[in-house]
Each structure stands twice: as C-alpha cells, then as structure tokens.
Amino acid sequence: MMNISPLQKERLQYNPKLPGMLRNGISEICVKEGKETESVADQAKIKELFPNTYGKREITFEKGQNTSLAKKQVVGVILSGGQAPGGHNVVCGLYDALKATNKENVLYGFKGGPSGLLEDDYLIFDDEYIDQFRNTGGFDIIGSGRTKLETREQFAVAAEVCKKHGITAIVIIGGDDSNTNAAVLAEYFAAHETGVQVIGCPKTIDGDLKNEDIECSFGFDTATKTYSELIGNIERDANSAKKYWHFIKVMGRSASHVALECALQTQPNICLIGEEVAEKKMSLSAIADYITDAVAERGNNGMNFGVAIIPEGIVEFVPEFSVLIAEINELLAGEKAEEFNSLSTWKERYAFIEKGLTRQSMDVFAILPESIQQQLFMERDPHGNVQVSLIESEKLFSALVKAKLAERKKAGTYKGKFSALHHFFGYEGRCAFPSNFDADYCYSLGYNAFMLIQYGYNGYLSQISNLSKPAEEWVAGGMPITKMMNIERRHGEDKPVIRKALVELDGNPFKYFAAHREKWAVETCYTYPGAIQYYGPSDVCDQTTRTLALEKGE
Ligand code: FBP
C-alpha cells in the first residue's frame, strides 16, 4: 500500500452514488431503445464514412429483467489526454460492474494512454490494486498520454492486440479528439468483423465536450472548484492588502468555460471570454482598454486592487493575433528557421521579423512586451509552430494595461497606483481529489460503460444525464458518438470530428455573467467559495457547477 494521507484514507471508503436505475444490481438493469440518431451536421457525409455505426438508436437503462447475453467479457481501458479529476473512478466503476456481472470477466489497463494499446503495454486489474485508487485524483492508476489513435495501421495493430488477449471491448476515456478517434476505431472494428466493441467516456477539465445529451465532461466540476477556491483566496488577500491587481490565467486550451465558471463562483472585477472577443472582433488594444477602464475607475475611487481572470486560450480568439501567429509560423517554415536561429542578437532577429511580417502584423507585434515577443519565437512545437498555450497572456495584458495607465496618468485622467501580480492555475486542479459530484459521476460513467458493453453496443458514449438533480434521479444510457459529429477542415483536409462546444454567448451562464460584470468591475463583490468539502451538509458537498445549474435554468 502506498503512503496515504488521512483524507485519502477516508476517501477510499467513500461509496460513490449511482443513478437510481443502476442501483438494484446487475440482474435488474434492462435497456430501453430510443430514437434513431443523426449527426449534428453533414449527415450524408458522416453516414457514408460510418456505414456500420451511423444512425444507431439512443438508449437508456431502466429497472427490469437483464436480457444481455451471458458471455465472458475481457475489456481494455485507456486514459487519454490531460488528467481530469475522477478518472480513477471511471475505471473503478467499470471494474465493479464487470466483476459484479461475472467474476471471470477481466479488465486490462493499457498504460500511458493510447500508445499502451499499440505497444501492448498493460496491467490486469485486481481488487487489491484497484482499491488503492478509489475516489482519488490523478491518472496514475495506468497513466495517460496524447498519442492519437487515428491511422488504419494503428487500428490494425490494435485489432491484433485485442485478438491476442481475447479482448471483447475497449473503453476510451478522453476528450473530443479521443472520442472522435474512438468512433473511427469502432467503425473499423465493425467493418473488419473483429467482434470488439468501443465505448467512450467524456473527459476534460476544459468542459468543451458537451451538447444537449452530454451535460458535462468529468473533471470540470472539481478543477473549477479548485481554481475558484484559489481565486477566492486571492480576492480576499487583495481586499485585505488593497495594493495589488492580480492577473490570473486559468486553463482551458481553447474554450473559456473554465474562466466563466470561475467568474460565476468568485465574481472578480474582470473576466475575459475568448468567444466574446472573437464575436466582437476585439483587438489586443481594445481588450486592454476594457481592463484599463476598470483599473482606472477603481484607482480613481481609491481602490488600487483587483482581480482579472484570463482564459488560457484567449489570444487565439483575437483575430489580429491569430493572423500574427500564422505569419510567424510561415516566416519560420523550412530553412528560414535556420537563418533566424543563426542570428545571435535580439536586435538582428527583430530586424529579420520586421522584414518578414506584414505591416498589420508588425503593428500588433510591436506593442507586445519584449518577453512575449521573444516567447513567440522561442517556444515552438515539433512542427515548428508557435505554442500558443505557452504564451503568458496574464503578463501580456497586465503590461498593456500598465502602458495605457501611464498614458492616462499623463493626460490627467488617472490618479491611482498600479502594481500587478501574475498567476497561472492549471495543473493545480487537474489531479485534485474528485468532488463528490465528480466521484459519483465518474463511477457512474464507468459502471454504465460496462452495461453498454454487456448489451453489445459499439461506438457509443457512456451518458449520464439529469446531472443537476440528486444522483438518485440521474439517467443512465448511451449515445452513438456519430450523433455528435460534423465535418471540419483539419490540417487542410475534411475530417469527421466531434464538434467542440464553445461558450455560447446566448446561453444562460454567459448571460448571467454579462448582466453582472459591470457592477463587479467597479464595486468589490467578491465571493469566497472556499475549499471543496467532501463531508458535511449536502448543499455544501454535493453542489454542481454554476454553469450546469444555469444551463438547466436553475
Ligand atoms: P484534455 O483536452 O486532453 O483534457 O486536456 C486539457 C488541458 O488540461 C488543457 O486545459 C491544457 O491546455 C492542456 O490540457 C495542457 O496539456 P499538457 O498536460 O499536455 O501540458
């Protein structure tokens, strides 16, 4: 047994709550088939690409006689992509349902993400091993990875590995890309009559894998509660010392759901939303003006402190910045990178950049702080592209605001003081002990995934809905992954993919935020959520996110 803390010891004993319909024992779970499905868009094209798995019916489970075939199941599970709190419980739920159905059933865990399947690197779960991970954060139970399972060669290897172990189903726990690949793998397995089923589970702290059927991805609840605790603590510090502006970047590679949820929980002075920036085509300067207005008004009223939340993906939503990034990628493509790297001083490099960028992009580049300018040319991915997620946008915006305040000071319209501190909250939340919500939700997703396998479904996403209600009222079922797909242009090719869910500007969560933010900007309306509570009254321990509650009209 590994070293464990008192909380972990307690959490190992926690009994995750299942939806009412899954509580009566395996022998009393039956299936109700619903309507045939269609993809969200591009129906003809998706149907053509998925002849064996397209158009299947939605299903829900109910209390009733279990009519599934009695056959020995050998299941493989994979954790894919970034860590998200609750992943261990998906595996635990899957294991428990599998063993409750038949003690002879076997669960393989492929190690280190999808590459584990390709390399046949695995462990076989038993009670002793799995019991150490119940209700804990992290993905260390088998590890995770970002290898994409997408080529036919890889699928052929996967089929071989499954055949070797007699595997009857693979469960892929991942985000939109991993579940897109799960659907393609399911189609391949069906077309090649391998007899292997594929089931997906919706994971990502980013919260961007959701739609009318999948109410949220797991991990979002715990991660946003963890960041909100930290932001609330910082707000209280700011309000006590009254001398700093805190610029806080929060994770979320693309969509701003995490930032928005944290804002709903903590009521900061500023929260940027990438999707709104794109919709209004805001420039960097316009965004900086927007923040500066709040800083200046507060400063002029004697409040030289505040909190601004910046979503990680923000710069990609600024139209002029996206153009700049594209030009930089082009500027350093192929041999030109060598020429650039051979220049030894920043001055020489700057001259090279000035010659290579268009006038418009150079104007944007010129207003960036030098540290950010250099970052754009240093941190590059293996394909030579700028790694946008590494850009320290919290420092970028505070530097732009500082420059604008200096101008206003000169013009006599600002008389405050501005001192900024910077934070980035991301990795702090991805492996937290799952909240009760995520512990219950994840366990249910895993348990339910096994029921989908047992009833023979292929290319389905494990679906638990009615999530803003107590677990007793949750609804368990499955949805064909192809229902969530459309065709998008990726790397110059048309590809069938799950549509990423961005923040909807006409949705309730954003509308609530937009209705309150002016007041939050100039007054001090902070709320302090405190740490996640695992034990105590239900209204403290079992609350879902504000996003989910508002989406449900609650
Ligand atoms: P997933 O989409 O794989 O769940 O990962 C999301 C995320 O946590 C983003 O919020 C973040 O930008 C990214 O992963 C960081 O990735 P890495 O762990 O590879 O640094």
Side-chain angles (χ1 to χ4, degrees):
M1 177 65 94
M2 54 178 95
N3 291 333
I4 60 170
S5 66
L7 179 65
Q8 182 171 347
K9 202 165 157 206
E10 274 308 311
R11 291 308 280 169
L12 292 180
Q13 307 305 322
Y14 176 76
N15 237 334
K17 301 187 265 305
L18 281 170
M21 64 194 57
L22 299 181
R23 284 185 192 175
N24 307 296
I26 299 285
S27 61
E28 287 191 47
I29 301 175
C30 73
V31 168
K32 182 173 156 219
E33 293 215 325
K35 289 192 303 269
E36 284 182 359
T37 55
E38 285 202 319
S39 58
V40 275
D42 309 306
Q43 289 83 9
K45 189 88 193 136
I46 307 278
K47 186 173 181 185
E48 189 189 323
L49 292 167
F50 293 89
N52 295 285
T53 49
Y54 186 84
K56 302 282 181 207
R57 293 175 186 277
E58 290 172 335
I59 69 113
T60 46
F61 290 112
E62 288 186 330
K63 185 172 170 359
Q65 179 65 41
N66 186 328
T67 55
S68 65
L69 284 183
K71 80 169 188 190
K72 182 181 167 187
Q73 300 283 6
V74 181
V75 177
V77 63
I78 298 169
L79 289 162
S80 179
Q83 284 68 251
H88 286 167
N89 268 25
V90 181
V91 180
C92 295
L94 176 63
Y95 177 84
D96 288 353
L98 170 140
K99 288 291 182 188
T101 302
N102 180 353
K103 279 259 163 291
E104 300 300 309
N105 287 344
V106 183
L107 182 62
Y108 281 70
F110 288 101
K111 294 190 196 169
S115 62
L117 175 60
L118 302 176
E119 290 157 14
D120 196 15
D121 185 11
Y122 64 88
L123 56 80
I124 295 178
F125 290 102
D126 59 21
D127 292 353
E128 196 192 339
Y129 184 72
I130 211 152
D131 285 349
Q132 304 170 64
F133 294 94
R134 292 184 184 273
N135 309 301
T136 57
F139 276 8
D140 42 321
I141 189 167
I142 42 173
S144 186
R146 290 201 181 274
T147 302
K148 289 191 192 309
L149 216 49
E150 56 188 352
T151 67
R152 295 183 77 77
E153 293 73 26
Q154 289 174 323
F155 295 162
V157 174
E160 270 311 303
V161 171
C162 290
K163 196 167 161 198
K164 176 175 159 197
H165 299 295
I167 286 176
T168 50
I170 294 284
V171 174
I172 297 182
I173 303 169
D176 54 339
D177 273 353
S178 308
N179 278 298
T180 291
N181 294 339
V184 184
L185 182 64
E187 178 63 32
Y188 178 96
F189 281 167
H192 290 77
E193 295 176 357
T194 59
V196 183
Q197 299 155 240
V198 182
I199 299 295
C201 286
K203 171 234 72 167
T204 178
I205 63 152
D206 289 4
D208 55 9
L209 173 53
K210 63 174 176 181
N211 56 27
E212 59 190 56
D213 306 292
I214 303 299
E215 295 175 4
C216 71
S217 56
F218 78 75
F220 179 72
D221 185 89
T222 310
T224 52
K225 282 178 177 151
T226 305
Y227 305 144
S228 297
E229 179 208 349
L230 298 174
I231 294 168
N233 294 350
I234 285 178
E235 286 178 336
R236 201 140 213 176
D237 196 287
N239 198 22
S240 305
K242 304 199 189 294
K243 61 177 179 181
Y244 294 124
W245 261 88
H246 294 267
F247 284 73
I248 306 171
K249 180 167 83 170
V250 291
M251 252 188 191
R253 187 193 300 276
S254 178
S256 301
H257 297 292
V258 173
L260 178 57
E261 172 62 24
C262 291
L264 294 170
Q265 287 191 33
T266 62
Q267 305 190 173
N269 305 100
I270 297 287
C271 176
L272 302 178
I273 300 296
E275 291 80 345
E276 184 183 27
V277 164
E279 169 87 8
K280 294 185 173 164
K281 299 193 175 31
M282 288 172 85
S283 64
L284 283 182
S285 178
I287 301 170
D289 274 330
Y290 166 67
I291 305 174
T292 308
D293 287 346
V295 176
E297 185 167 347
R298 289 176 67 79
N300 288 343
N301 292 332
M303 291 185 282
N304 292 303
F305 65 94
V307 169
I309 301 180
I310 318 284
E312 180 185 21
I314 188 80
V315 289
E316 278 186 89
F317 286 98
V318 179
E320 58 179 14
F321 206 86
S322 302
V323 175
L324 170 68
I325 303 283
E327 284 190 25
I328 294 176
N329 287 338
E330 192 59 34
L331 184 61
L332 293 189
E335 287 166 11
K336 285 181 277 176
E338 276 174 39
E339 190 185 337
F340 178 79
N341 290 334
S342 70
L343 303 170
S344 50
T345 67
W346 176 241
K347 206 170 156 210
E348 286 171 314
R349 290 182 169 193
Y350 197 93
F352 175 95
I353 295 164
E354 210 163 14
K355 231 173 38 199
L357 294 181
T358 59
R359 185 61 207 259
Q360 288 91 326
S361 287
M362 197 54 214
D363 286 347
V364 179
F365 188 73
I367 61 164
L368 302 177
E370 190 174 310
S371 59
I372 305 278
Q373 289 177 336
Q374 296 195 357
Q375 240 172 51
L376 289 175
F377 282 83
M378 303 297 173
E379 318 276 10
R380 319 187 57 75
D381 72 10
H383 308 286
N385 294 329
V386 174
Q387 282 186 269
V388 182
S389 66
L390 296 182
I391 295 171
E392 294 174 301
S393 41
E394 69 283 23
K395 293 193 180 153
L396 165 65
F397 286 110
S398 92
L400 294 176
V401 167
K402 192 174 174 189
K404 288 197 181 276
L405 288 171
E407 284 167 21
R408 294 191 191 193
K409 200 150 234 175
K410 255 197 226 154
T413 55
Y414 169 62
K415 48 184 181 3
K417 284 192 204 125
F418 179 71
S419 181
L421 293 176
H422 307 104
H423 315 263
F424 170 37
F425 297 147
Y427 300 96
E428 292 81 349
R430 296 200 312 180
C431 285
F433 278 99
S435 60
N436 286 349
F437 173 84
D438 270 329
D440 298 345
Y441 180 39
C442 289
Y443 188 81
S444 302
L445 282 171
Y447 201 94
N448 186 62
F450 184 74
M451 294 321 300
L452 290 169
I453 293 169
Q454 186 61 18
Y455 273 100
Y457 292 99
N458 180 32
Y460 274 64
L461 202 62
S462 177
Q463 179 187 358
I464 305 289
S465 43
N466 210 24
L467 292 172
S468 62
K469 295 282 182 288
E472 168 73 37
E473 296 168 41
W474 289 357
V475 177
M479 197 199 51
I481 303 177
T482 49
K483 186 181 175 201
M484 301 167 77
M485 294 179 114
N486 67 163
I487 300 286
E488 287 177 24
R489 200 90 188 138
R490 297 274 169 98
H491 305 295
E493 265 181 75
D494 280 347
K495 291 231 160 174
V497 294
I498 292 177
R499 189 185 268 176
K500 209 182 249 312
L502 298 176
V503 169
E504 288 178 10
L505 302 183
D506 57 358
N508 285 346
F510 179 80
K511 284 204 313 216
Y512 181 91
F513 165 68
H516 292 84
R517 65 179 158 185
E518 273 173 40
K519 183 174 158 71
W520 297 353
V522 292
E523 295 175 23
T524 300
C525 307
Y526 305 148
T527 40
Y528 312 119
I532 294 176
Q533 300 295 307
Y534 300 92
Y535 302 97
S538 184
D539 60 346
V540 180
C541 299
D542 297 323
Q543 285 298 310
T544 53
T545 57
R546 297 281 296 127
T547 301
L548 187 60
L550 286 163
E551 278 171 352
K552 292 281 183 182
E554 290 167 9

CSV table of all heavy atoms in Angstrom, one decimal, residues 1 8-9 30 51 57 73 106-107 179 197 201 208 247 261 271 306 328 359 367 419 425 459 462 471 511 538:
chain,number,residue,atom,x,y,z
A,1,MET,N,0.9,-1.2,0.0
A,1,MET,CA,0.0,0.0,0.0
A,1,MET,C,0.9,1.2,0.0
A,1,MET,O,1.8,1.3,0.8
A,1,MET,CB,-0.9,-0.1,1.2
A,1,MET,CG,-1.8,1.1,1.5
A,1,MET,SD,-3.1,1.4,0.3
A,1,MET,CE,-4.5,0.5,1.0
A,8,GLN,N,-7.2,10.8,2.2
A,8,GLN,CA,-7.2,9.7,1.2
A,8,GLN,C,-7.8,8.4,1.9
A,8,GLN,O,-8.6,7.7,1.2
A,8,GLN,CB,-5.8,9.4,0.6
A,8,GLN,CG,-5.9,8.3,-0.4
A,8,GLN,CD,-4.6,8.2,-1.2
A,8,GLN,OE1,-3.7,9.0,-1.2
A,8,GLN,NE2,-4.5,7.1,-1.9
A,9,LYS,N,-7.4,8.2,3.1
A,9,LYS,CA,-7.8,7.0,3.8
A,9,LYS,C,-9.4,7.0,3.9
A,9,LYS,O,-10.0,6.0,3.6
A,9,LYS,CB,-7.2,7.0,5.2
A,9,LYS,CG,-7.2,5.7,5.8
A,9,LYS,CD,-6.3,5.7,7.0
A,9,LYS,CE,-6.7,4.6,8.0
A,9,LYS,NZ,-6.3,4.8,9.3
A,30,CYS,N,-32.3,-3.3,-17.4
A,30,CYS,CA,-32.7,-3.6,-18.8
A,30,CYS,C,-32.6,-2.3,-19.7
A,30,CYS,O,-32.4,-1.2,-19.2
A,30,CYS,CB,-34.0,-4.2,-18.9
A,30,CYS,SG,-35.4,-3.0,-18.6
A,51,PRO,N,-20.6,3.6,-42.2
A,51,PRO,CA,-21.7,2.8,-42.7
A,51,PRO,C,-22.2,1.8,-41.6
A,51,PRO,O,-23.4,1.4,-41.6
A,51,PRO,CB,-21.2,2.0,-43.9
A,51,PRO,CG,-19.7,2.1,-43.8
A,51,PRO,CD,-19.4,3.4,-43.1
A,57,ARG,N,-29.5,3.8,-32.4
A,57,ARG,CA,-30.5,4.4,-31.5
A,57,ARG,C,-29.9,4.9,-30.2
A,57,ARG,O,-29.0,4.2,-29.7
A,57,ARG,CB,-31.6,3.4,-31.2
A,57,ARG,CG,-32.5,3.0,-32.3
A,57,ARG,CD,-33.5,1.9,-32.0
A,57,ARG,NE,-34.2,1.5,-33.1
A,57,ARG,CZ,-35.2,2.1,-33.6
A,57,ARG,NH1,-35.7,3.2,-33.0
A,57,ARG,NH2,-35.8,1.7,-34.7
A,73,GLN,N,-16.5,-11.4,-20.6
A,73,GLN,CA,-16.0,-10.2,-21.2
A,73,GLN,C,-14.6,-9.9,-20.8
A,73,GLN,O,-14.2,-10.1,-19.6
A,73,GLN,CB,-16.9,-9.0,-20.7
A,73,GLN,CG,-18.3,-9.1,-21.0
A,73,GLN,CD,-18.6,-8.7,-22.5
A,73,GLN,OE1,-17.7,-8.5,-23.3
A,73,GLN,NE2,-19.9,-8.6,-22.8
A,106,VAL,N,-12.5,-10.0,-17.1
A,106,VAL,CA,-11.1,-9.5,-16.9
A,106,VAL,C,-11.1,-8.0,-17.4
A,106,VAL,O,-11.6,-7.7,-18.5
A,106,VAL,CB,-10.1,-10.3,-17.7
A,106,VAL,CG1,-8.7,-9.8,-17.4
A,106,VAL,CG2,-10.2,-11.8,-17.3
A,107,LEU,N,-10.4,-7.2,-16.6
A,107,LEU,CA,-10.1,-5.8,-17.1
A,107,LEU,C,-8.7,-5.6,-17.2
A,107,LEU,O,-7.9,-5.7,-16.3
A,107,LEU,CB,-10.7,-4.8,-16.1
A,107,LEU,CG,-10.6,-3.3,-16.4
A,107,LEU,CD1,-11.4,-3.0,-17.7
A,107,LEU,CD2,-11.1,-2.4,-15.3
A,179,ASN,N,-12.5,10.8,-28.4
A,179,ASN,CA,-13.7,10.2,-28.7
A,179,ASN,C,-14.1,10.2,-30.1
A,179,ASN,O,-14.7,9.2,-30.6
A,179,ASN,CB,-14.9,10.8,-27.8
A,179,ASN,CG,-14.9,10.3,-26.4
A,179,ASN,OD1,-15.1,9.1,-26.2
A,179,ASN,ND2,-14.6,11.1,-25.4
A,197,GLN,N,-15.9,-4.2,-29.3
A,197,GLN,CA,-16.7,-3.0,-29.2
A,197,GLN,C,-15.9,-1.9,-28.7
A,197,GLN,O,-14.9,-2.1,-28.0
A,197,GLN,CB,-17.9,-3.2,-28.2
A,197,GLN,CG,-18.8,-4.3,-28.6
A,197,GLN,CD,-19.6,-4.9,-27.4
A,197,GLN,OE1,-19.4,-6.1,-27.1
A,197,GLN,NE2,-20.3,-4.1,-26.7
A,201,CYS,N,-15.9,7.6,-23.0
A,201,CYS,CA,-16.4,8.4,-21.8
A,201,CYS,C,-15.9,9.8,-21.8
A,201,CYS,O,-14.7,10.1,-22.2
A,201,CYS,CB,-15.8,7.7,-20.5
A,201,CYS,SG,-16.5,6.2,-20.1
A,208,ASP,N,-15.4,21.4,-22.7
A,208,ASP,CA,-15.8,21.7,-24.1
A,208,ASP,C,-16.3,20.5,-24.8
A,208,ASP,O,-16.6,20.5,-26.0
A,208,ASP,CB,-14.7,22.4,-24.9
A,208,ASP,CG,-13.4,21.6,-24.9
A,208,ASP,OD1,-13.4,20.5,-24.4
A,208,ASP,OD2,-12.4,22.2,-25.3
A,247,PHE,N,-3.5,39.3,-12.0
A,247,PHE,CA,-3.9,38.8,-13.3
A,247,PHE,C,-3.8,37.2,-13.2
A,247,PHE,O,-2.7,36.7,-13.1
A,247,PHE,CB,-3.0,39.4,-14.4
A,247,PHE,CG,-3.4,40.8,-14.7
A,247,PHE,CD1,-3.1,41.8,-13.8
A,247,PHE,CD2,-4.1,41.1,-15.8
A,247,PHE,CE1,-3.5,43.1,-14.0
A,247,PHE,CE2,-4.5,42.4,-16.1
A,247,PHE,CZ,-4.2,43.4,-15.2
A,261,GLU,N,-16.9,29.8,-15.5
A,261,GLU,CA,-17.3,29.1,-14.3
A,261,GLU,C,-16.7,29.7,-13.0
A,261,GLU,O,-17.3,30.0,-12.0
A,261,GLU,CB,-17.1,27.6,-14.4
A,261,GLU,CG,-17.4,26.9,-13.1
A,261,GLU,CD,-18.8,26.9,-12.6
A,261,GLU,OE1,-19.7,27.2,-13.4
A,261,GLU,OE2,-19.1,26.8,-11.4
A,271,CYS,N,-13.3,39.4,-16.1
A,271,CYS,CA,-13.1,38.0,-16.7
A,271,CYS,C,-13.2,38.1,-18.2
A,271,CYS,O,-14.3,38.6,-18.7
A,271,CYS,CB,-14.1,37.0,-16.1
A,271,CYS,SG,-13.8,35.3,-16.9
A,306,GLY,N,-7.4,44.7,-7.5
A,306,GLY,CA,-8.5,44.0,-8.2
A,306,GLY,C,-8.0,42.6,-8.7
A,306,GLY,O,-6.9,42.2,-8.5
A,328,ILE,N,3.9,34.2,-38.4
A,328,ILE,CA,5.2,33.8,-37.7
A,328,ILE,C,5.5,32.3,-38.1
A,328,ILE,O,6.6,32.0,-38.4
A,328,ILE,CB,5.1,33.9,-36.2
A,328,ILE,CG1,5.1,35.4,-35.8
A,328,ILE,CG2,6.3,33.3,-35.5
A,328,ILE,CD1,4.9,35.7,-34.3
A,359,ARG,N,2.6,44.6,-42.6
A,359,ARG,CA,2.5,45.9,-41.8
A,359,ARG,C,1.6,45.7,-40.6
A,359,ARG,O,1.9,46.1,-39.5
A,359,ARG,CB,2.0,47.0,-42.8
A,359,ARG,CG,2.0,48.4,-42.2
A,359,ARG,CD,3.3,48.8,-41.8
A,359,ARG,NE,3.2,49.8,-40.8
A,359,ARG,CZ,3.3,51.1,-41.0
A,359,ARG,NH1,3.6,51.5,-42.2
A,359,ARG,NH2,3.1,52.0,-40.0
A,367,ILE,N,3.5,46.2,-30.3
A,367,ILE,CA,3.0,46.7,-29.0
A,367,ILE,C,3.2,45.6,-27.9
A,367,ILE,O,2.9,45.8,-26.7
A,367,ILE,CB,1.5,47.1,-29.0
A,367,ILE,CG1,0.6,45.9,-29.5
A,367,ILE,CG2,1.3,48.3,-29.9
A,367,ILE,CD1,-0.9,46.2,-29.2
A,419,SER,N,0.0,48.1,-9.3
A,419,SER,CA,1.1,47.1,-9.1
A,419,SER,C,0.4,45.7,-9.4
A,419,SER,O,-0.6,45.4,-8.8
A,419,SER,CB,1.5,47.2,-7.7
A,419,SER,OG,2.5,46.3,-7.4
A,425,PHE,N,-3.3,29.1,-13.0
A,425,PHE,CA,-3.9,27.9,-12.4
A,425,PHE,C,-4.3,26.9,-13.4
A,425,PHE,O,-5.2,27.2,-14.2
A,425,PHE,CB,-5.1,28.3,-11.5
A,425,PHE,CG,-4.7,29.2,-10.4
A,425,PHE,CD1,-5.6,30.2,-9.9
A,425,PHE,CD2,-3.5,29.2,-9.7
A,425,PHE,CE1,-5.3,31.1,-8.9
A,425,PHE,CE2,-3.2,30.0,-8.7
A,425,PHE,CZ,-4.1,31.0,-8.3
A,459,GLY,N,-19.4,1.9,-30.5
A,459,GLY,CA,-19.3,3.3,-31.0
A,459,GLY,C,-20.2,4.2,-30.2
A,459,GLY,O,-20.7,5.2,-30.7
A,462,SER,N,-20.7,6.7,-23.1
A,462,SER,CA,-21.4,6.5,-21.9
A,462,SER,C,-22.0,7.8,-21.5
A,462,SER,O,-21.4,8.8,-21.4
A,462,SER,CB,-20.4,6.0,-20.8
A,462,SER,OG,-21.0,5.8,-19.6
A,471,ALA,N,-28.2,12.4,-7.4
A,471,ALA,CA,-27.8,11.2,-8.2
A,471,ALA,C,-28.9,10.2,-8.4
A,471,ALA,O,-29.0,9.5,-9.4
A,471,ALA,CB,-26.5,10.5,-7.5
A,511,LYS,N,-24.9,34.9,-20.1
A,511,LYS,CA,-25.9,36.0,-20.0
A,511,LYS,C,-25.9,36.5,-18.5
A,511,LYS,O,-26.0,37.7,-18.2
A,511,LYS,CB,-27.3,35.6,-20.4
A,511,LYS,CG,-27.3,35.6,-22.0
A,511,LYS,CD,-28.7,35.7,-22.6
A,511,LYS,CE,-29.8,34.9,-22.1
A,511,LYS,NZ,-30.7,34.4,-23.1
A,538,SER,N,-25.4,18.4,2.5
A,538,SER,CA,-25.4,18.2,1.1
A,538,SER,C,-25.3,19.5,0.3
A,538,SER,O,-24.7,19.5,-0.8
A,538,SER,CB,-26.7,17.5,0.7
A,538,SER,OG,-26.7,17.2,-0.6
